[in-house]
Amino acid sequence: MDLSYDPPAQFRTASDQLHDIVSREVGTTDFGPDDYLPGLKVLLQSMDYDPRFSEQGRRIAWGGVVGVLRGRAQAIRSMKANPGFDAKPILSPVVITGVPRTGTTALHRLMAVDPRFQGLQTWLLDSPMPRPPVETWADHPEFRKSVALLEARYAAAPQKRSAHNVIAEEVHECCMVLRQSFVSNLWSCSHSAATYDAWWQAQSEEPAYRHYYRCVQLIGSNDPDKRWLLKNPGHIETLDLLFAIYPDARVIQTHRDPAKAVPSLVSLLMQMHNEMEVDRYEQRSHIMLQREVAKWANAVRKCDKVRESHADQVLDVVHADFHADPMSVLERIYRFIGWDIPDETRARFAERIEEKPELQFGAHRYSIADFGMTEEEARAPFGDYVERFDLVEKRK
């Protein structure tokens, strides 16, 4: 969160002010193609209408919009400063996706210890540029700013670390740059945004994927031949767009009982509610679980349909199998992507598996009952998906 910006009295009339702030900071008035403007307009209107912001919530929300538009402007500026960044296509990336909270992050970070991969580090998603040598990162003000913002986030809500700890220098999700086009599911997650959400549901994310592809090319332009390892749960809903930009991608789709995964997501998203908004915690959390169950059930169905044309490009990984024997799952993944696992990389995998860094801040505790739904109600919209992958854990 960035609290350094005073929010306007009305968000819906503040577009010019927003662009002026970012232009002064970045030193450019070029924000790239104007296809981001409709989404930005609806988002700002929604911020006046939908949430019951606290004063701090208004400041956090405004700082978030400034930060994302700043990231877009920085990306466009960096593209202009680095002609030829897009000279080579991105070939055969490995892309991890699946319903949120199904193990995508743990798998992504585990595979990222393989030095043959390159990924999208958090700080470079905030400020897209050609990835500099790692030993120089601390010298970049953009890196230091990302570190400071993450420290502020966890100081305000320490419980978020146990649910989803984000680190500036580690790999993060593609959605963090996709949202720079302001057509993104993320804008409905941090605070109440029903009118934006209704608009977003009817939009195409094709322009967002075009911008995202160019940002990935930009970030990797110093290592254009190094294979990409990417991750984003939302890709299952737009798998057709993913294959449109990465036609030879190797996709790993993770699976977990939605009656466990989706309430975990809602618990994570609601952790900032009391800082952002006044009252309505229970009401919003119940509505959110209904929304997320419906959204991700629909995403799974859309993904299944696209997979029919790309059957040999998608590998299924069940969360329980990965949790029980991660090395065996890695062996299967590496056969799928056409790589071996060198002894040194295998040792790195074993070390991270033993360390269990995802648990260093404690376990994430939640109950579906807190959000007004039963497990059976959460599974029902997913149809035969749960049975197909045998996702209900058997209690011993």
Side-chain angles (χ1 to χ4, degrees):
M1 69 184 69
D2 193 335
L3 303 181
S4 59
Y5 301 96
D6 291 328
Q10 287 185 336
F11 293 113
R12 63 184 179 274
T13 58
S15 180
D16 289 346
Q17 177 184 346
L18 171 65
H19 284 84
D20 287 345
I21 291 171
V22 173
S23 293
R24 288 196 301 271
E25 287 192 9
V26 182
T28 180
T29 57
D30 188 352
F31 294 88
D34 62 6
D35 49 47
Y36 74 98
L37 289 172
L40 176 59
K41 179 179 179 180
V42 176
L43 176 64
L44 293 175
Q45 291 172 331
S46 171
M47 287 166 63
D48 280 334
Y49 185 76
D50 292 311
R52 293 182 184 174
F53 280 133
S54 64
E55 280 306 308
Q56 184 180 28
R58 287 180 61 82
R59 185 176 289 270
I60 292 171
W62 180 242
V65 176
V66 172
V68 172
L69 187 61
R70 181 177 60 232
R72 180 184 178 90
Q74 288 174 322
I76 300 301
R77 183 188 66 180
S78 190
M79 290 174 189
K80 292 175 69 174
N82 292 276
F85 76 90
D86 54 354
K88 288 194 174 184
I90 296 167
L91 299 178
S92 192
V94 178
V95 184
I96 300 170
T97 189
V99 174
R101 315 300 289 172
T102 58
T104 56
T105 297
L107 177 59
H108 186 211
R109 292 178 179 173
L110 177 59
M111 291 180 64
V113 306
D114 187 334
R116 293 173 293 177
F117 283 123
Q118 63 175 317
L120 294 171
Q121 285 76 26
T122 300
W123 77 277
L124 291 170
L125 291 168
D126 293 338
S127 306
M129 68 178 75
R131 186 188 304 104
V134 64
E135 62 271 14
T136 70
W137 289 2
D139 299 329
H140 288 265
E142 296 88 353
F143 176 81
R144 296 195 297 270
K145 185 176 183 66
S146 290
V147 170
L149 289 175
L150 287 168
E151 288 177 351
R153 174 195 299 179
Y154 294 124
Q159 71 276 11
K160 287 180 75 73
R161 280 195 187 275
S162 63
H164 187 67
N165 186 33
V166 178
I167 301 171
E169 59 267 35
E170 284 204 343
V171 290
H172 200 8
E173 301 182 2
C174 307
C175 58
M176 306 310 288
V177 72
L178 280 162
R179 67 178 176 169
Q180 290 179 3
S181 293
F182 290 90
V183 182
S184 169
N185 177 60
L186 288 187
W187 294 114
S188 300
C189 293
S190 60
H191 53 74
S192 302
T195 52
Y196 176 86
D197 191 40
W199 175 85
W200 167 76
Q201 301 269 4
Q203 305 307 307
S204 169
E205 293 190 42
E206 183 179 355
Y209 270 80
R210 288 198 302 267
H211 174 73
Y212 152 70
Y213 182 83
R214 287 172 60 77
C215 285
V216 176
Q217 286 182 302
L218 174 70
I219 291 169
S221 57
N222 288 333
D223 295 294
D225 298 318
K226 196 170 185 179
R227 196 170 189 180
W228 276 98
L229 175 66
L230 302 164
K231 173 252 182 176
N232 186 38
H235 288 322
I236 62 169
E237 189 165 20
T238 49
L239 197 62
D240 56 338
L241 296 177
L242 185 80
F243 280 127
I245 61 171
Y246 303 134
D248 58 352
R250 307 298 282 179
V251 175
I252 303 162
Q253 185 178 354
T254 57
H255 307 277
R256 184 186 181 195
D257 181 359
K260 305 296 184 185
V262 186
S264 176
L265 172 64
V266 172
S267 174
L268 171 64
L269 297 178
M270 289 300 297
Q271 286 178 348
M272 284 293 289
H273 176 85
N274 289 334
E275 283 197 73
M276 296 292 293
E277 298 193 48
V278 177
D279 302 325
R280 298 197 303 186
Y281 179 94
E282 180 177 300
Q283 182 183 19
R284 183 175 173 229
S285 66
H286 287 207
I287 291 171
M288 182 177 285
L289 184 55
Q290 295 282 350
R291 186 258 189 193
E292 297 300 323
V293 165
K295 170 188 164 50
W296 294 107
N298 183 58
V300 166
R301 288 190 291 272
K302 291 177 69 175
C303 181
D304 284 346
K305 196 162 190 66
V306 177
R307 284 183 54 161
E308 292 174 3
S309 303
H310 300 271
D312 61 343
Q313 291 181 253
V314 184
L315 178 72
D316 296 303
V317 170
V318 174
H319 178 269
D321 295 340
F322 175 64
H323 183 74
D325 192 351
M327 195 63 79
S328 291
V329 169
L330 287 171
E331 295 275 8
R332 191 158 58 89
I333 289 172
Y334 272 68
R335 287 194 296 272
F336 170 68
I337 67 174
W339 273 7
D340 63 350
I341 305 179
D343 290 343
E344 183 179 349
T345 301
R346 189 180 298 274
R348 291 183 179 186
F349 285 154
E351 182 179 2
R352 187 172 178 100
I353 290 167
E354 179 65 26
E355 287 177 351
K356 297 181 174 64
E358 282 73 29
L359 297 178
Q360 65 179 307
F361 295 103
H364 177 209
R365 305 294 183 188
Y366 60 93
S367 170
I368 191 172
D370 294 337
F371 309 125
M373 189 180 287
T374 66
E375 291 188 350
E376 292 74 18
E377 289 171 332
R379 294 180 185 123
F382 286 82
D384 70 346
Y385 169 74
V386 175
E387 183 178 356
R388 192 170 5 129
F389 291 100
D390 192 22
L391 298 178
V392 179
E393 296 179 17
K394 296 356 183 236
R395 301 290 184 187
K396 293 184 179 181

